[in-house]
Amino acid sequence: MTSYRATFCPDCGDKLESKWFDGRDRSYCAACARIIFQRPIPCADVAVMDGKHVLFIKRTNAPHIGKWALPGGVIEVGEPPAEAAARELHEETGLDITPSTLTLITGYAAAAPQGWYNAGYTYAVQFEDVSGEPTAGGDASDARFWSLNELRGSEQELRPEPNDALHIRAAINEFRTSNG
């Protein structure tokens, strides 16, 4: 089992072949007679909302180097998703949040250009419920709030990834509904 598209067997090291199994083409080791399943990388993101603004970080690591994205990252082994979201928010922005304060907005799955897949959770929180001021850290070179108008503009510097745009809309809808 691997998160990356394997070319060699993780057990014996032989080159993998392709084999049709369970309705799809899979990586197969003829020497071990074993299907090598590709697993998604679990992630957690946070949409921090401040009125009509959303917090974004500018990424310094792959994938999407130099792009603006919601703060978030990989869930560690044994780490609950909300705790991972709170940890990643702190690492990338310096903001602190109690995981129980986060509102689960949506789950997602996405393919990355490197041949691996991620699946995860997006949480939302009002800025008034976090402590600290946004400061870039970890794998973020910048952290700032963008207005919803900037997000909608056609000439903007920020062009959220399609998943981020969906998560932001879901967060806005959640807070509109919960606030009447």
Side-chain angles (χ1 to χ4, degrees):
M1 179 174 17
T2 179
S3 295
Y4 296 92
R5 206 175 296 270
T7 52
F8 295 93
C9 178
D11 290 330
C12 73
D14 273 16
K15 187 158 178 63
L16 295 175
E17 303 173 7
S18 185
K19 181 176 184 173
W20 191 257
F21 180 78
D22 269 352
R24 64 175 52 175
D25 199 22
R26 310 261 188 189
S27 295
Y28 175 74
C29 178
C32 296
R34 180 173 173 231
I35 301 290
I36 307 301
F37 291 95
Q38 185 174 351
R39 301 286 191 227
I41 298 171
C43 299
D45 302 324
V46 183
V48 178
M49 311 292 292
D50 184 14
K52 295 187 177 200
H53 298 83
V54 181
L55 181 65
F56 279 82
I57 55 114
K58 193 169 194 176
R59 298 183 55 90
T60 59
N61 294 335
H64 313 301
I65 295 171
K67 295 218 175 182
W68 290 90
L70 293 174
V74 175
I75 299 171
E76 307 264 337
V77 172
E79 185 178 39
E83 287 182 19
R87 176 184 51 77
E88 287 287 345
L89 180 66
H90 177 76
E91 288 174 5
E92 295 178 348
T93 69
L95 297 175
D96 290 310
I97 185 71
T98 303
S100 62
T101 308
L102 295 169
T103 301
L104 179 61
I105 297 299
T106 184
Y108 65 89
Q114 295 81 358
W116 48 267
Y117 299 86
N118 65 12
Y121 306 86
T122 299
Y123 294 89
V125 65
Q126 296 282 10
F127 183 59
E128 64 196 36
D129 294 327
V130 302
S131 60
E133 290 296 321
T135 305
D139 63 348
S141 64
D142 197 359
R144 68 168 275 218
F145 282 94
W146 291 82
S147 74
L148 298 179
N149 287 336
E150 287 174 302
L151 294 173
R152 289 187 200 107
S154 60
E155 300 297 320
Q156 76 226 17
E157 175 185 353
L158 174 67
R159 298 197 190 281
E161 294 296 313
N163 278 340
D164 282 349
L166 289 171
H167 301 156
I168 292 163
R169 281 195 290 279
I172 292 166
N173 290 336
E174 171 67 27
F175 288 130
R176 277 190 191 142
T177 303
S178 64
N179 293 329

